[in-house]
Amino acid sequence: MTKKKYVIVGAGGRSLYMFAKPMATELQEYVDFKGVFDTNQTRARLLSEECGRVPVYNDFHHMLGEVKPDVVVVATTDYTHHQYIIESLEAGCDVVSEKPMTIDEEKTRAILEAERKSGKKVTVTFNLRFAPYFSKIKELIMSGTIGEVHHVHLEWFLDRDHGADYFRRWHSEMKNSGGLLVHKSTHHFDIINWWVDSRPKQLQAFGALQVYGDQGQPKGERCMTCEYTATCEFYKDITQDPFMTKYYAEAEHEDGYWRDRCVFDERVDIYDTMSVNLQYENGVFLTYSLVAYSPYEGWRATINGSKGRLEVGNIYRDANMSAVGVDTIKHYKLDGTSELIEVSAQMGGHGGGDAKLRAAIFAGGVEDPLGQQADSLAGAYSCLIGATANRSIAEGKLLQVPDFRLLHH
């Protein structure tokens, strides 16, 4: 098969490990990796060195013009995704976008309109769809194991290491990330959208900042220079991590971006405690919650149908959701009996989902009976739930989720 020309915009950790390194190694027979651009040239050069010295560009527009790539991989800060996606589409390129596709309704509309006009395609990388545990749940629902689905309850909890980290970084400001209801929950909303196979219709949401942000604690500007390191639960020395040191501490002279800003900074304006009640077009109800300061990390869900109930979830050790052993799904039947369905847990990023997702996106030609590959409309609705939830919290009322089907070609 003919190799496609790829370029990457964004050279952070997700870009390096999810896309760049695999593109330069395991995916070489499918990918002609031709360039990388990041506004921080130090990070771009570091990524290049780890990926066979792929050319580094100091201007995105120039990279598009010189390389004329078939596909652009967008892995920048969330609030810039739409700029790079739209310019790539207008240049005649397909786009692979890291989630979330974007952060609000206006930018979502602009992306869908640009995609339709260009005739090119946006794919959003929802890796959880490819994790064997999540895909097994989709199989069970599709096969009618619990009949017609009526209600889903999903509780997600981030621990005080992984959860706190969002409050140190650019994510901690709503204007950059749309808050965790967009940046993080887009994964969770997409999974539910996929499981119940319907469009989100209306919702009411609640959110608060209870633990992080300006709570009156003694604090410094950043962990590296703070005088309270001995007493602060959230102190993190990024210089103990070689990747953080190289890619962030030694790159901040270029753009002033601190990777260890204080979690109690007054600039923090996203929520750490969130709840959403949502109704789908097909009548399914979702109750959803997310907290970012749990003593341990994981998720639990119940899926109630006309013929039974599934109880699912994982507790995991790290933010990458890597696991060892066997996960179980509990299936409760209407006659009062139950069965345990075992799913082999897979090592690797996001419960084994990352590698399977890459194979589907980059190798192509993969059969997709479960509909695991996510297009721009899937990217739109997972983002729009979070963006509408943010509006609902701000306005204190029930809101309709925008219907963008007519914008999608």
Side-chain angles (χ1 to χ4, degrees):
M1 67 178 280
T2 307
K3 283 188 182 184
K4 288 185 176 180
K5 288 189 290 186
Y6 282 79
V7 296
I8 286 181
V9 52
R14 185 70 179 153
S15 175
L16 175 66
Y17 294 112
M18 175 64 188
F19 301 111
K21 274 193 161 182
M23 283 165 59
T25 53
E26 70 194 57
L27 297 165
Q28 271 186 313
E29 64 179 295
Y30 312 107
V31 171
D32 191 6
F33 188 6
K34 301 293 282 186
V36 59
F37 164 74
D38 193 293
T39 53
N40 188 300
Q41 289 284 286
T42 300
R43 270 199 290 281
R45 286 191 295 270
L46 287 166
L47 183 144
S48 169
E49 287 165 17
E50 294 202 50
C51 298
R53 301 198 176 275
V54 60
V56 175
Y57 288 85
N58 60 12
D59 180 271
F60 179 66
H61 187 73
H62 176 62
M63 179 171 72
L64 288 184
E66 186 168 296
V67 175
K68 295 182 170 52
D70 299 297
V71 186
V72 177
V73 177
V74 175
T76 55
T77 47
D78 297 350
Y79 71 99
T80 64
H81 281 189
H82 69 293
Q83 300 165 16
Y84 295 114
I85 292 171
I86 291 169
E87 187 170 346
S88 300
L89 292 168
E90 290 174 345
C93 309
D94 289 324
V95 177
V96 173
S97 174
E98 180 54 66
K99 64 83 207 159
M101 185 174 77
T102 186
I103 64 168
D104 61 34
E105 182 180 334
E106 177 189 5
K107 296 178 180 65
T108 301
R109 181 187 296 277
I111 289 170
L112 293 178
E113 288 178 342
E115 183 187 39
R116 193 184 72 232
K117 285 176 188 170
S118 71
K120 306 309 286 186
K121 185 180 182 205
V122 177
T123 300
V124 185
T125 57
F126 287 120
N127 41 26
L128 292 188
R129 291 188 181 205
F130 290 84
Y133 190 76
F134 291 88
S135 57
K136 181 62 177 179
I137 296 165
K138 174 69 170 176
E139 282 179 32
L140 292 169
I141 292 170
M142 284 179 70
S143 64
T145 302
I146 57 169
E148 189 178 341
V149 175
H150 295 314
H151 180 269
V152 181
H153 169 77
L154 175 60
E155 174 194 14
W156 209 286
F157 33 99
L158 304 172
D159 68 21
R160 298 169 84 90
D161 179 33
H162 181 205
D165 213 35
Y166 291 109
F167 296 82
R168 296 187 184 98
R169 299 184 277 169
W170 54 265
H171 308 72
S172 65
E173 294 179 75
M174 197 72 80
K175 66 183 182 183
N176 294 338
S177 66
L180 291 177
L181 281 168
V182 172
H183 176 81
K184 187 66 183 169
S185 302
T186 187
H187 264 319
H188 315 151
F189 295 141
D190 176 69
I191 280 292
I192 305 300
N193 295 349
W194 180 55
W195 282 347
V196 307
D197 192 25
S198 186
R199 186 188 74 81
K201 182 182 175 186
Q202 59 182 352
L203 62 79
Q204 173 104 39
F206 303 90
L209 189 59
Q210 309 276 25
V211 173
Y212 308 107
D214 189 7
Q215 307 284 352
Q217 297 93 332
K219 59 177 180 284
E221 283 190 309
R222 61 183 303 186
C223 290
M224 206 180 286
T225 58
C226 186
E227 62 183 292
Y228 302 105
T229 57
T231 54
C232 182
E233 175 193 352
F234 297 106
Y235 169 61
K236 190 177 186 77
D237 183 0
I238 62 171
T239 64
Q240 295 300 302
D241 181 322
F243 173 80
M244 294 270 205
T245 301
K246 281 169 62 179
Y247 274 72
Y248 294 99
E250 293 175 2
E252 58 188 42
H253 64 278
E254 280 204 48
D255 53 16
Y257 173 55
W258 292 350
R259 184 58 182 73
D260 63 341
R261 185 172 286 282
C262 181
V263 299
F264 302 125
D265 194 288
E266 55 273 5
R267 293 199 306 181
V268 174
D269 65 356
I270 65 171
Y271 311 116
D272 56 22
T273 311
M274 293 141 276
S275 177
V276 180
N277 280 327
L278 185 146
Q279 182 183 29
Y280 284 91
E281 206 166 57
N282 65 0
V284 174
F285 293 154
L286 167 67
T287 58
Y288 171 82
S289 66
L290 173 66
V291 299
Y293 46 83
S294 169
Y296 62 98
E297 179 135 342
W299 65 280
R300 293 190 188 92
T302 55
I303 306 164
N304 293 286
S306 58
K307 295 181 180 176
R309 168 184 173 102
L310 298 177
E311 293 187 357
V312 296
N314 303 112
I315 307 302
Y316 43 88
R317 295 189 306 270
D318 59 24
N320 211 19
M321 297 177 65
S322 56
V324 182
V326 173
D327 289 322
T328 57
I329 296 169
K330 196 146 194 185
H331 170 213
Y332 289 89
K333 304 173 187 179
L334 292 185
D335 63 5
T337 63
S338 64
E339 64 172 334
L340 276 182
I341 300 163
E342 295 189 344
V343 183
S344 292
Q346 303 218 357
M347 290 296 290
H350 294 91
D354 284 354
K356 291 175 183 289
L357 171 66
R358 281 194 295 267
I361 288 177
F362 295 100
V366 178
E367 287 188 10
D368 192 14
L370 298 180
Q372 287 165 295
Q373 293 206 50
D375 63 8
S376 58
L377 199 59
Y381 282 129
S382 62
C383 163
L384 286 170
I385 295 173
T388 306
N390 283 331
R391 279 183 48 222
S392 173
I393 294 164
E395 297 173 22
K397 61 187 181 187
L398 176 77
L399 293 174
Q400 302 298 306
V401 178
D403 184 352
F404 279 177
R405 282 173 295 195
L406 292 177
L407 293 177
H408 188 250
H409 63 266

